[in-house]
Amino acid sequence: MPDSISGETAVQPTLVLASTSTYRRALLERLRLPFTVRSPQTDETPQPGEAPRDLALRLAMAKAQAVAADMPGTWVIGSDQVCACDGHILGKPGNHAAAVSQLRLLRGRTSLFHTALALITPDGRMQRREVPTTVRMRELSDARIENYLRAEQPYDCAGSAKSEGLGIALLETISSDDPTALVGLPLIALCDLLLAGGYPLLGQAA
């Protein structure tokens, strides 16, 4: 598959997504920029007492730094997302039982998704941004939770619901300044960072 969405193959892609997430890759493709993907291989274990926002930012930066160390002179994007509800930090459930527990906790409640973004420029400068998204979930019966999970199996999504898919039926409201933040990569914020760093987005000069 060519790295360029236009069909032109970039000889040496300089934009790198430090993530193997298919969701983030699909979102980045919307910008029609040539990019490649690398796995960051980072430890995502929260530190004792670490706030959800701080955790998301630290992991986004760690992912970008891990890939930038192996690919100097490139533009590297790192991103991470943490869901917080009533003092609980929710990551990817990983399996059905954990997803059931997450949705039972979230039903009828308001949660805050912290989506963090880090960009390392070719000269090694780091920019970062955190985009919060407030989500209120409907009151859901156990049967509806089971029906949803069996249908969509969102076990790789923090909060156990795909808002871009059937999971939207679980939600009452979504509030954010960046419509793609909840899916995993805030594109408005990313464009801000790319432009601030001098990336020729839409052919604009640095």
Side-chain angles (χ1 to χ4, degrees):
M1 174 180 177
D3 289 298
S4 173
I5 305 308
S6 65
E8 299 177 0
T9 301
V11 175
Q12 179 59 51
T14 59
L15 187 64
V16 186
L17 177 62
S19 173
T20 56
S21 166
T22 57
Y23 310 112
R24 292 191 176 103
R25 178 169 185 156
L27 287 172
L28 185 55
E29 286 176 346
R30 294 187 189 182
L31 298 184
R32 302 189 181 186
L33 300 172
F35 72 94
T36 190
V37 174
R38 290 291 184 274
S39 175
Q41 300 297 320
T42 53
D43 181 3
E44 300 188 20
T45 305
Q47 296 177 351
E50 191 170 28
R53 179 180 184 274
D54 295 339
L55 172 60
L57 282 167
R58 178 175 64 81
L59 294 180
M61 291 188 293
K63 290 176 180 180
Q65 289 168 333
V67 170
D70 291 332
M71 303 184 70
T74 60
W75 299 77
V76 182
I77 302 165
S79 186
D80 201 85
Q81 185 180 77
V82 175
C83 173
C85 180
D86 291 347
H88 298 273
I89 293 179
L90 306 180
K92 300 173 184 176
N95 58 58
H96 185 83
V100 169
S101 295
Q102 285 194 0
L103 291 180
R104 284 176 176 172
L105 173 67
L106 292 170
R107 60 185 172 189
R109 291 187 173 93
T110 299
S111 57
L112 186 59
F113 285 76
H114 301 273
T115 307
L117 182 66
L119 177 70
I120 297 179
T121 58
D123 59 4
R125 288 177 295 149
M126 166 85 77
Q127 300 180 71
R128 64 178 196 168
R129 184 81 60 86
E130 181 266 338
V131 180
T133 302
T134 302
V135 175
R136 181 165 183 82
M137 189 167 286
R138 300 179 188 277
E139 288 284 359
L140 302 169
S141 66
D142 286 350
R144 285 184 174 175
I145 288 174
E146 283 289 340
N147 289 341
Y148 168 68
L149 292 178
R150 298 297 181 189
E152 197 154 58
Q153 301 182 19
Y155 306 137
D156 58 349
C157 300
S160 302
K162 294 182 182 181
S163 62
E164 72 278 21
L166 180 58
I168 197 70
L170 309 184
L171 310 182
E172 283 187 356
T173 61
I174 299 174
S175 178
S176 179
D177 292 333
D178 203 321
T180 63
L182 187 57
V183 184
L185 187 66
L187 293 181
I188 291 176
L190 176 58
C191 289
D192 287 346
L193 298 188
L194 287 169
L195 289 170
Y199 191 92
L201 189 64
L202 292 176
Q204 298 179 30

